[in-house]
Amino acid sequence: MGYWKSKVLPKIKKVFEKDSTAKKAAAAEAIKNFDESKEEISKEFEEKRTELGPKVIEIFEASTAEIKTLVKDPKEAGLKKQTTSVQKFLDELVKIEFPGSKVVSEASSKFGPAYVSGPIFFVFEKVSTLIPVEEKAVEPPAPETKTEEATSSTEKEIVVEEEKKTEVVAAEASEKTEPVAEPPAKVEEAEPPKP
């Protein structure tokens, strides 16, 4: 066991460390090259915006819910979990010649989406500008009305409880000034009914 830990394991670690450091360096170079071409990609995107819109919407609608969420709200954790889905989505964008997608897809397939997250999120940002806003506007109002109803009913309950507490305080104050034979009965009546 000592031989394994002292001789074999360090050699295995060196092999994998070289690959990961080389991979990180190459990915950093690809990101640098992509960052230099962002302006050109943005110009090309603006030129092709009208013809790309329907194609992007079609691809977006056909993609999984996880990709839809990731495109709308890009996060590193989601990117790491959905690497194969991200790669498939990028490949679909390459097929319609989406600006910048070819470079990003190649870098993603070579180094993995986690290493080139910046360029991927840049492409996703451009894609999200083509996605109709109606989807976002239609979905949230339904939950909001429910929460407003729940909030308003909760607020009503709080107001009713506060009113009853003031009645109890008033009853206690009158109890201290005037001795009455039935103050406990009034206190019991003032407690709010539990639904």
Side-chain angles (χ1 to χ4, degrees), residues 153-167 190-193:
S153 65
T154 306
E155 289 174 359
K156 289 177 184 176
E157 291 174 9
I158 291 171
V159 170
V160 169
E161 287 178 17
E162 288 177 0
E163 289 176 1
K164 294 194 181 205
K165 286 181 184 178
T166 55
E167 290 176 10
E191 290 181 10

Side-chain angles (χ1 to χ4, degrees), residues 4 7-8 10-11 15 24 35 56 64 68 79 93 101 106 109 116 120 129 133 152 157-158 163 165 180 183 190 192:
W4 171 258
K7 300 287 182 183
V8 178
K11 289 182 180 182
V15 169
K24 286 179 185 177
D35 288 343
V56 168
T64 62
K68 290 178 182 178
L79 185 66
L93 291 175
S101 62
E106 289 173 358
S109 63
V116 289
I120 290 173
T129 61
V133 181
S152 63
E157 291 174 9
I158 291 171
E163 289 176 1
K165 286 181 184 178
V180 179

Side-chain angles (χ1 to χ4, degrees), residues 19 21 30 35 67-68 76 92 125 139 144 161 168 189:
D19 288 344
T21 54
D35 288 343
I67 289 295
K68 290 178 182 178
E76 286 279 338
E92 291 297 319
E125 180 183 320
E139 292 176 12
E144 287 178 15
E161 287 178 17
V168 170
E189 293 175 0

Side-chain angles (χ1 to χ4, degrees), residues 40-53:
E40 294 174 22
I41 292 170
S42 294
K43 288 178 185 176
E44 186 180 349
F45 172 74
E46 290 302 323
E47 291 171 1
K48 294 183 174 183
R49 187 179 187 106
T50 55
E51 64 187 56
L52 287 174

Side-chain angles (χ1 to χ4, degrees), residues 111-157:
F111 311 116
Y115 286 113
V116 289
S117 60
I120 290 173
F121 290 152
F122 178 79
V123 170
F124 282 2
E125 180 183 320
K126 296 295 181 187
V127 168
S128 67
T129 61
L130 296 173
I131 295 172
V133 181
E134 292 91 77
E135 290 180 21
K136 293 180 182 176
V138 170
E139 292 176 12
E144 287 178 15
T145 56
K146 291 178 184 175
T147 57
E148 286 176 12
E149 291 173 8
T151 305
S152 63
S153 65
T154 306
E155 289 174 359
K156 289 177 184 176
E157 291 174 9

